[in-house]
Amino acid sequence: MITPESALNPEQRRVLAGLLDRRGGRIPGPYRFTLHCPEITELMHPFGELLRLRSSFPLRVSEMAIVSFFVWRANRGEASFLYWAASGVMQGMGWGLFALTLAKPSAVLAHSLSESLIFAGHVSGYLALAIFTLRRIGRLQSNTLAVLIAAFAVLDFACRLQNVPAWDGVVALSHAILALLMMAMLLREGRPGTYGIVYTANSVILIIVAVTLTKVYDVFFGETGAAEITAQADVNTAVVLGATMAMIVMTVALSLLEFSRKAKRLNELAGQDPLTDTINRRAWRTVIESECARAKRRNAPFSVMMIDIDHFKKVNDKYGHSAGDGVLTSSARVIAAQLRAMDTLCRYGGEEFVVLLVDADGQAAARIAERIRASIAESMVDWEAVTFAVTCSVGVAEFDPETDTPVSLVARADKAMYCAKSLGRNRVVASSDFDAEVTRPFQ
C-alpha cells in the first residue's frame, strides 16, 4: 500500500518535491534514484539520510584535495602530483556544487557545471597517472584532453537544457572508461614490491566501474515513472561514497609508488660510483657473493679481472686531479665497450677497476683482458688543450669452487695484476701463470 502525499510531513514533501521534476518522476542531475519499496513513508527516510550523507561528501573530497596538494608539495619535481592535486580540487568543487543543487531541478547551469567539474577532475586524474607511469606525455595528447573537457561541458549543458534522458548514461559510461584507462596505467607500475599497492588500487577502481556500469544499465534499460518512485538510493550512495574512497586509495597508492621509486633510486645511487657511473665497492660485494653461490650451485665457470691504470699518480701530478678524473671516466667507457651485457664493471677504488665475467673460464677471460688492455693503450685522453695516452695492467683469476671465496678470488686477481706491474706494466697476467707468491707493494 502506498501512503498518499497528504500523509507526508512538510519535510518529506519538500525533499520529494526537490527530487522529482516535471518529466514523469525523473530526478535531475547526474544520478537518478530507484528505490523499490511499497510504502512512501519508509522510502522518505533513505532520501533524508542520503541528503545528509551527501553534505559530508564534498568535505571529504576537499580534504583529499588538501592531502593531494601537500603530497605534491613534497614531490614538487613530479608534474603528476600537481595534476593529481588539481583532480582532487575539481572533484571536491564538483561534488560540493552537486550537493547544493540536488534539490533544485531548475538549476540546469549549476548541475551542468558540477558534472563538468567532476569529469574534468577524472580527466586530470588520468593525466596524472599517464605522466606518473610514462614519465612524460605528448603535447598532442594533453591538448586533446583539454578539448575533450571543453566539448563535454558544452554537450552536458545542451543535453540538460533539452532534458535528454540518455545523457546521464553517456556521462556514467565516460566515467567508467576513464576509470578503466586508469587501471591500465597502474598495471604498468606492477613489479616486485608494488604488486600489492597496484592490485589494491585497481580493486577499488574496479568496484567503482561495476557500480557505474550499473547506472549505465539503469539509464538505458531501466524503467522510471511518476506513479511509482523508482530510484536506486543505495546505488547512488555507493557511487558517491566510492568516489571518495577511490580518491583516498589512489592518493595513498600514488604516494606509496613514488616512495617505492625513490627508495629504489636511493639504493641504486648508494651502489653507484658518481664519477664513472659504474657500480661501487659496496654493490660489488653483493654481485660477487651472488655469482659465487650461483657458480657453486650450477658448476658454471666465471672469472674476475683486476685493472689498474699505470702511473696514475703522475697524471694527477702533471695535469691535475681533474685530468685524472677524465682518465678514469674515459677508461671506464673503454672497458665497458669491450664487455658483454651480462658482465659487471666496478670501480674498486682509486684508479682500480674490477670486472666480473660470467660464464668465462680463465682463457676466455684472458682474451677479453687483452682486448681491454689494447683498447686503453690505443685510446687518447683529451683534456683541455692536452692529449695524452695511458696504459693499464690487468690481472685475471678464474673461480675455483673448491677453494675460492669472494675475498680470495679478488685477492688472486689483485696479486696477478701486481705481477703484471712488476713485469713492466701494460700487460695481462693470469693467476694460473705464476706459482710464486707476489706481494702487493706499498704505495
Side-chain angles (χ1 to χ4, degrees):
M1 180 178 85
I2 295 182
T3 303
E5 185 179 354
S6 58
L8 303 178
N9 60 43
E11 175 66 17
Q12 293 172 335
R13 284 199 298 271
R14 186 188 66 79
V15 173
L16 182 61
L19 291 173
L20 297 178
D21 64 4
R22 298 188 181 92
R23 295 185 300 105
R26 292 187 182 276
I27 302 295
Y31 299 106
R32 291 189 299 115
F33 295 76
T34 314
L35 282 170
H36 299 284
C37 189
E39 297 190 4
I40 192 70
T41 53
E42 294 180 9
L43 300 183
M44 294 313 300
H45 178 70
F47 279 126
E49 288 297 318
L50 182 63
L51 291 176
R52 284 192 290 273
L53 264 178
R54 290 197 169 185
S55 66
S56 67
F57 292 156
L59 178 61
R60 293 177 183 176
V61 178
S62 299
E63 288 172 352
M64 289 315 304
I66 295 173
V67 171
S68 300
F69 173 76
F70 284 109
V71 169
W72 167 72
R73 290 279 294 180
N75 300 272
R76 294 188 191 182
E78 297 292 335
S80 57
F81 283 92
L82 175 61
Y83 283 101
W84 190 254
S87 173
V89 171
M90 286 187 286
Q91 289 192 54
M93 293 172 60
W95 287 118
L97 187 59
F98 172 73
L100 292 174
T101 59
L102 183 61
K104 298 178 181 179
S106 59
V108 176
L109 179 60
H111 282 299
S112 178
L113 181 58
S114 68
E115 189 61 40
S116 298
L117 283 169
I118 295 171
F119 180 79
H122 289 171
V123 172
S124 182
Y126 163 75
L127 191 60
L129 285 177
I131 296 174
F132 184 83
T133 55
L134 302 176
R135 309 305 297 172
R136 63 183 180 83
I137 191 168
R139 184 182 298 273
L140 177 61
Q141 187 174 1
S142 59
N143 290 342
T144 301
L145 292 176
V147 171
L148 179 64
I149 293 174
F152 177 89
V154 173
L155 282 174
D156 187 81
F157 178 72
C159 290
R160 295 189 188 284
L161 196 62
Q162 296 297 321
N163 291 328
V164 179
W167 177 247
D168 287 339
V170 174
V171 171
L173 185 60
S174 66
H175 290 317
I177 293 173
L178 282 172
L180 290 174
L181 289 175
M182 289 183 181
M183 287 181 62
M185 289 294 177
L186 275 177
L187 286 175
R188 296 175 62 93
E189 287 296 304
R191 60 177 179 270
T194 63
Y195 286 124
I197 302 171
V198 171
Y199 292 156
T200 300
N202 275 345
S203 297
V204 174
I205 296 177
L206 194 59
I207 293 173
I208 302 303
V209 170
V211 176
T212 306
L213 291 179
T214 301
K215 294 301 301 177
V216 174
Y217 178 84
D218 177 66
V219 169
F220 289 111
F221 304 104
E223 295 181 358
T224 304
E228 179 182 359
I229 302 176
T230 56
Q232 302 163 353
D234 52 344
V235 173
N236 286 278
T237 302
V239 168
V240 187
L241 280 174
T244 305
M245 182 173 64
M247 189 69 184
I248 295 172
V249 172
M250 289 296 296
T251 300
V252 173
L254 277 180
S255 301
L256 291 176
L257 287 173
E258 180 63 17
F259 176 80
S260 175
R261 276 185 179 179
K262 289 186 174 180
K264 181 182 178 182
R265 180 57 180 161
L266 285 174
N267 286 333
E268 291 174 352
L269 291 175
Q272 185 176 15
D273 178 63
L275 179 62
T276 60
D277 286 334
T278 64
I279 68 170
N280 58 21
R281 195 163 178 171
R282 178 177 180 268
W284 168 262
R285 188 179 300 113
T286 302
V287 172
I288 188 65
E289 289 176 354
S290 175
E291 186 59 28
C292 285
R294 187 191 74 90
K296 289 181 179 180
R297 187 170 59 251
R298 299 185 179 181
N299 195 26
F302 81 94
S303 300
V304 166
M305 67 172 68
M306 185 71 73
I307 305 170
D308 185 90
I309 306 300
D310 296 329
H311 302 297
F312 184 74
K313 186 177 184 301
K314 291 183 179 180
V315 174
N316 282 337
D317 293 341
K318 185 175 182 179
Y319 302 109
H321 289 279
S322 296
D325 291 344
V327 169
L328 293 176
T329 54
S330 174
S331 299
R333 286 195 299 268
V334 172
I335 295 171
Q338 299 297 325
L339 300 179
R340 303 162 297 175
M342 66 182 73
D343 300 327
T344 303
L345 173 61
C346 165
R347 185 186 176 192
Y348 202 66
E351 69 274 21
E352 291 181 338
F353 295 91
V354 63
V355 178
L356 187 149
L357 300 169
V358 180
D359 294 332
D361 57 17
Q363 292 182 351
R367 290 193 295 269
I368 297 173
E370 179 58 31
R371 290 203 306 267
I372 291 173
R373 184 207 61 78
S375 298
I376 290 179
E378 293 169 1
S379 64
M380 303 299 292
V381 179
D382 294 322
W383 179 252
E384 295 181 351
V386 181
T387 301
F388 57 93
V390 295
T391 60
C392 68
S393 300
V394 186
V396 178
E398 181 181 355
F399 176 69
D400 184 350
E402 299 296 329
T403 60
D404 270 331
T405 65
V407 174
S408 66
L409 176 61
V410 173
R412 289 199 296 117
D414 188 59
K415 289 179 180 180
M417 181 267 293
Y418 269 90
C419 181
K421 281 187 172 294
S422 67
L423 294 175
R425 294 182 171 85
N426 191 25
R427 66 189 64 229
V428 176
V429 172
S431 62
S432 58
D433 292 341
F434 63 94
D435 298 324
E437 185 76 11
V438 179
T439 304
R440 179 173 183 140
F442 176 79
Q443 286 188 323

